[in-house]
Amino acid sequence: MKLDGLELRRITLPLTAPFRTSFGTEHTRDVLLLRVQGPDGEGWGECVAMAGPYYSSEHVTGAAEVIRRFLLPALAGDVDAHTAEQRMGRVRGHRMAKSAVLMAVLDAQLRMAGMSWGGYLGATRDRVPAGVSVGIMDSVPQLLDAVDGYLAEGYLRIKLKIEPGWDLAPVAAVRERFGDIALQVDANTAYSLSDARHLARLDPFGLLLIEQPLPEEDIRGHAELARRISTPICLDESIVSARAAADAISLGAAAVVNIKPGRVGGYLEARRIHDVCAAHGVPVWAGGMLETGLGRAANVALAALPGFTLPGDTSASRRYYARDITDPFTLDDGHLAVPTGPGLGVSPDLDFLEQITTHREWLAVPATA
Ligand code: OSB
Ligand code: MG
């Protein structure tokens, strides 16, 4: 396929409620959207990098600059998702930037071929079970109200964000009030190995998993922690590639893996991680980065692959935004439907996009890589 150019667009979307994690509080989502355009069609991508480099080392303004300066040449000449991925491999890191470019290229490619995202990746289901990630709150009663509301909407699994000082009490309160619901926690690297005895006090609550208790680079620490607590350890931040997944699994650091395409450089690498985990019998689930309907469409399709045996952080649009940029994803009996149309199967509302656009630029693809 031939591509003429890439449009970068920044939009600001207010979150329906502040989302607090151990690395900060988000009030709005500042999203970088990409649109590749060629003579035969277009494709959309969403960059999951956040406003600041607190979840991982990337941030949205940096990602835009990397795309502009270093990734754009990968789109020269005859290109598809695999060639673009290979050419971008020359750039070290910057996986969220690469993932956004690859998403736009793959969307264009699949729209032209009339193939759906799920069909291309190997989805085996037409709907996926939805979980919800619940931020740190000011008080336990406020948390119980939030969880109560999500359970009433039909969410099939609750994830509580935790940090030192907000862990045992909220977990105990949610267990006491709601009983035997599917419950897990996410620490976003807020602990150290010296907290092992404290974290072992979560064991009696029968959590599905504890997500990323220790720093990104600390694979050995997670393996050691796994010997000291009975809650299964799931890695998020640490799993930056299929190779990292294979290493973490063989070292005993990951009993479960959270797969986020942005974090690993795109949907092709995400599928490789799925395959590596499946080969090892390690369950995976689809993480989220507060995506708009574009990223959500792709994540929901990914979550329909056979190895995704746990509910993902693939919540309905209204959990995040009063108005999404695509037709909203809705919860039906605790599930989201996998889009079936060509490419992502959803398209942004261009009039609404104009209203929330803060910056827009057109980049012509150079003649040669
Ligand atoms: O660690 O999973 C995380 C959101 C932003 C950055 C990191 C994380 C999260 C979430 C929310 O937990 C997932 C979602 O609902 O999109
Ligand atoms: Mg996480």
Side-chain angles (χ1 to χ4, degrees), residues 53-255:
Y54 308 117
Y55 161 75
S56 71
S57 63
E58 291 182 81
H59 68 111
V60 63
T61 303
E65 182 65 1
V66 168
I67 292 168
R68 209 181 270 128
R69 286 186 58 185
F70 302 112
L71 301 181
L72 187 65
L75 304 184
D78 187 28
V79 68
D80 67 10
H82 279 97
T83 53
E85 183 189 49
Q86 200 167 24
R87 292 178 191 169
M88 290 191 295
R90 198 176 148 220
V91 172
R92 302 285 157 236
H94 299 288
R95 294 179 174 90
M96 291 176 177
K98 291 173 180 173
S99 176
V101 172
L102 215 45
M103 181 176 164
V105 171
L106 185 56
D107 185 39
Q109 177 183 332
L110 294 180
R111 281 180 203 262
M112 288 176 206
M115 184 183 285
S116 71
W117 206 266
Y120 176 80
L121 291 178
T124 53
R125 287 167 290 175
D126 60 7
R127 62 176 205 159
V128 297
V132 60
S133 175
V134 186
I136 294 166
M137 307 256 166
D138 292 332
S139 71
V140 166
Q142 194 189 352
L143 174 72
L144 294 177
D145 276 356
V147 171
D148 193 38
Y150 290 131
L151 291 173
E153 285 183 56
Y155 284 104
L156 298 170
R157 178 277 274 154
I158 299 291
K159 162 170 137 181
L160 304 181
K161 290 292 194 179
I162 60 168
E163 66 182 1
W166 181 265
D167 44 28
L168 300 175
V171 168
V174 167
R175 265 283 178 257
E176 190 186 2
R177 168 87 176 270
F178 303 107
D180 195 24
I181 60 169
L183 184 64
Q184 63 193 53
V185 294
D186 184 2
N188 288 112
T189 77
Y191 295 88
S192 65
L193 196 52
S194 60
D195 296 313
R197 282 210 290 181
H198 178 73
L199 292 173
R201 294 176 66 193
L202 289 169
D203 289 349
F205 296 106
L207 301 175
L208 286 170
L209 56 90
I210 179 171
E211 184 179 344
Q212 197 72 41
L214 308 181
E216 177 177 325
E217 300 82 0
D218 199 2
I219 301 294
R220 193 199 59 84
H222 283 103
E224 180 56 36
L225 182 62
R227 291 188 274 272
R228 303 198 204 168
I229 68 175
S230 65
T231 306
I233 292 178
C234 170
L235 294 182
D236 172 355
E237 286 88 333
S238 294
I239 306 300
V240 296
S241 64
R243 182 168 289 155
D247 288 352
I249 291 166
S250 55
L251 288 167

Side-chain angles (χ1 to χ4, degrees), residues 19 23 50 55 133 159 161 186 188 211 236-237 258 260 288-291 313 315 319-320:
F19 183 66
F23 60 83
M50 307 188 75
Y55 161 75
S133 175
K159 162 170 137 181
K161 290 292 194 179
D186 184 2
N188 288 112
E211 184 179 344
D236 172 355
E237 286 88 333
N258 165 329
K260 289 179 184 171
M289 293 291 290
L290 315 175
E291 285 91 345
D313 283 346
S315 311
R319 179 259 173 270
Y320 311 91

